[in-house]
Amino acid sequence: MVIEFIKSSWKDTIRCTKEAAGGLIALPYPYTVPCADGIFQELYYWDTYFINKGLLLSGLAETALANANNLLYLADTFGFVPNGSNIELSNRSQPPFLSLIVYDIYECFGDKSWLEKAYKTLKTEYSFWINRRAAAFGLSRYGGNYKESDNIKTYADMYRRRTGGEFRDIDDSALYRHSIAVFESGWDITPRWGISALDYAQVELNSLLYILEDNMAHFSEIIAPSETVLWQERKAARKNAMKKHMLKDGVYYDCNIKADSVSDYFSAASYFPLFAGLASDSEARAAENMLHKIEFEHGIAVCEQKTADITCQWAYPNSWAPITYITVKGLLNYGLTGSAARIAGKYINSVDKIYAGTNCLWEKYNAVTGNTDAASEYGTPPMLGWTAGVYLALKEISGQT
């Protein structure tokens, strides 16, 4: 029932913006937005990886290709992929999934000339994250493309409003800079870094950059063999840096770059190294043993339950589709099939149950109650997007399609 609903609804999320208007950036191809109506009517960066998973599984490969081409176009135009295809979102990027999107499209179409062009664009993407988002120790962090046209007080006040925090001991300029970094992370808002996102090198970001380096090594073998060793050296260096600065008791955490210490806040971001394949077998088992901190009756929460002085939607008890997918795939990479199947089943069952009562899919769920009563600054909107893409992907993984 849910599968039929998803496949019949993709058409309602297709948009076409040939000319810039109302803040929307003109794009060369039709594109897929997360929601059929209401909120989120742009092409979003990291959402598109998970949306494309669903499109490819729905037989809509050309639509997935168009999404990828639009993201490549944005990277060529801006020198990075903006948060979304709205000029207001161009003061930051989002988690770098572009190489994964390119990988999926190349696997589907096998077009070497297309890959050659994408490879050049991915070099631009890589340069952005290495040079403009450098942290310390050879790692990267989220940040912002801070612009004079940005209204600093507006951003600072928005951050205060969204989090419910006063932040009397930090000025508007600093709060603005930290807030843009949080928005770039996609985890907006999360208690993982308090309000000090710029003080951390994030584990999921560096895992995704390791994947980018690994994918570039793979792509270069096809189109630029002389560059393969360079990419292999880069990914090895990142892996070593992550092991040195992010590892505690066999588990990867965010690194506080000011103190050169790991965070004491456990989140599902610790499963990105498994998704990237950079963890050892013992580290993967250590991460599996931490599931009890975030796994509940109806799925996994994005963060452990812990007292926080700010209101966050990327926190306990909220369950988000992309993090569920990353965790399941990460566990499967290390043969931890029991835990992977259990978590996938919980997510599928939650979506099925809520769809039966609402005839709709939703942006996020409550891993404890199994409902849509997720803590949020703007509610829980109906969404196809990555909820649909992850649902279809997990059904395939579970052999239920």
Side-chain angles (χ1 to χ4, degrees), residues 2 7 21 63 79 86 103 115 135 146 158 210 220 225 228 235 276 282 306 308 378:
V2 175
K7 290 185 176 181
T63 305
N86 191 306
Y103 189 99
L115 181 62
Y146 309 110
M158 174 176 63
Y210 174 89
S220 68
T228 302
K235 76 171 189 176
S282 63
K306 205 169 187 178
Y378 56 76

Side-chain angles (χ1 to χ4, degrees), residues 298-324:
H298 300 283
I300 59 167
V302 291
C303 292
E304 67 176 315
Q305 184 179 14
K306 205 169 187 178
T307 301
D309 55 5
I310 56 176
T311 301
C312 306
Q313 62 176 354
W314 285 83
Y316 168 90
N318 293 355
S319 176
W320 288 78
I323 304 307
T324 301

Side-chain angles (χ1 to χ4, degrees), residues 282-339:
S282 63
E283 290 163 359
R285 289 192 295 272
E288 182 187 32
N289 290 336
M290 294 289 281
L291 281 170
H292 68 93
K293 286 184 171 287
I294 60 171
E295 184 179 358
F296 301 95
E297 182 178 356
H298 300 283
I300 59 167
V302 291
C303 292
E304 67 176 315
Q305 184 179 14
K306 205 169 187 178
T307 301
D309 55 5
I310 56 176
T311 301
C312 306
Q313 62 176 354
W314 285 83
Y316 168 90
N318 293 355
S319 176
W320 288 78
I323 304 307
T324 301
Y325 177 83
I326 294 297
T327 302
V328 170
K329 289 290 288 183
L331 292 167
L332 287 175
N333 282 344
Y334 292 86
L336 304 173
T337 55
S339 294

